[in-house]
Amino acid sequence: MADKLKYLRIYFVTWNVATKYPEQSLNKLLDLNNINNSRTLADLYFIGLQEVKAQPQNMVMDIFFEDPWTKSFREVLKKYDYVKIRTQRLQGLVLNIFCLRKHITHLRSIETQYTRTGCGGMWGNKGAVSIRLNIYGINMCVVNTHLTPHDHLLADRIVDYNTILTNHSFSNPDTSRILFHDYVFWIGDLNFRLHGEDLTATEIDLLIKKIN
């Protein structure tokens, strides 16, 4: 069973939505515009959002209803036979997993977790949400984070990262920590900066595209 994991296609989305609501088609973001014989559907979608509108009245409503972004993604993906497996939210942080229906019977031990790092761990405007699961015998953990901003606060971002690693825990002793999983995917608005006095943003973008 474990050998099958290398054939699974996993699609990640990370997006700081800046408190905006979904207004445009999400098909391009999900790479669904050109589905044909040469473009195979992803088996799993992990969608990590930051700064989803999180006023008190929104948080109360989200106890009973999906946030607008999650609802929009679900409406698009259900047309391709995806099922929403789990959502985890911490104020403006949201992480969703969608799975093709054919894989659902192979999912096990799904858990979610969150860690606050804002205001010394008292506030959830910054922090992490995660979803861990076992699929075809492989343990996987996906972490969506929003770390401390601003150029001069690099040390605070590193503290955030270590706090998340330390505070996150799951029920299974064998995979009780993030790094105990076979695969860990860390996405989000990490706020780390690229420092290069001689490089412009355009040049950095071109160098990244060359790597890809």
Side-chain angles (χ1 to χ4, degrees):
M1 283 290 195
D3 291 340
K4 290 187 178 181
L5 185 66
K6 63 185 178 183
Y7 300 115
L8 289 177
R9 292 158 297 277
I10 305 174
Y11 193 101
F12 295 93
V13 172
T14 177
W15 189 7
N16 186 323
V17 300
T19 72
K20 296 180 181 178
Y21 290 103
E23 296 176 349
Q24 298 177 330
S25 171
L26 298 172
N27 283 52
K28 184 176 180 181
L29 179 67
L30 298 171
D31 198 22
L32 295 172
N33 282 341
N34 299 307
I35 298 298
N36 51 43
N37 292 334
S38 62
R39 162 72 174 90
T40 306
L41 285 168
D43 298 292
L44 298 170
Y45 274 92
F46 287 95
I47 301 173
L49 305 174
Q50 307 86 42
E51 293 193 19
V52 175
K53 197 170 182 65
Q55 294 177 349
Q57 62 268 31
N58 297 104
M59 298 301 291
V60 172
M61 291 295 288
D62 288 345
I63 295 174
F64 305 101
F65 304 100
E66 291 179 320
D67 66 272
W69 284 99
T70 296
K71 182 179 180 181
S72 295
F73 282 115
R74 181 172 56 79
E75 289 298 316
V76 172
L77 289 170
K78 73 178 184 181
K79 300 173 185 176
Y80 298 89
D81 206 29
Y82 287 94
V83 177
K84 192 189 82 169
I85 303 301
R86 194 67 59 89
T87 297
Q88 176 67 350
R89 179 165 189 176
L90 172 65
Q91 284 184 226
L93 273 169
V94 177
L95 179 61
N96 287 300
I97 172 176
F98 294 88
C99 179
L100 280 176
R101 191 178 303 274
K102 66 182 181 180
H103 297 302
I104 289 178
T105 57
H106 299 284
L107 297 177
R108 302 285 188 276
S109 305
I110 302 169
E111 289 188 61
T112 60
Q113 188 56 273
Y114 67 86
T115 296
R116 300 183 182 94
T117 61
C119 298
M122 300 297 292
W123 192 241
N125 64 319
K126 296 293 184 291
V129 289
S130 68
I131 298 174
R132 65 87 51 212
L133 66 145
N134 182 294
I135 181 167
Y136 292 102
I138 295 295
N139 290 304
M140 180 189 306
C141 183
V142 178
V143 186
N144 175 33
T145 54
H146 195 182
L147 305 183
T148 299
H150 307 306
D151 289 2
H152 64 287
L153 294 179
L154 171 62
D156 290 43
R157 284 187 281 281
I158 295 172
V159 169
D160 290 347
Y161 168 78
N162 286 316
T163 298
I164 293 163
L165 282 181
T166 300
N167 290 1
H168 250 57
S169 63
F170 303 100
S171 63
N172 189 325
D174 293 330
T175 53
S176 60
R177 299 293 178 181
I178 292 173
L179 297 182
F180 290 1
H181 292 78
D182 299 310
Y183 293 92
V184 176
F185 301 95
W186 198 297
I187 62 176
D189 186 349
L190 307 183
N191 271 313
F192 285 103
R193 270 54 171 173
L194 291 174
H195 291 284
E197 295 180 1
D198 299 326
L199 292 174
T200 66
T202 301
E203 290 169 333
I204 291 172
D205 185 55
L206 289 172
L207 287 172
I208 292 172
K209 288 178 178 177
K210 285 182 179 179
I211 295 172
N212 293 335

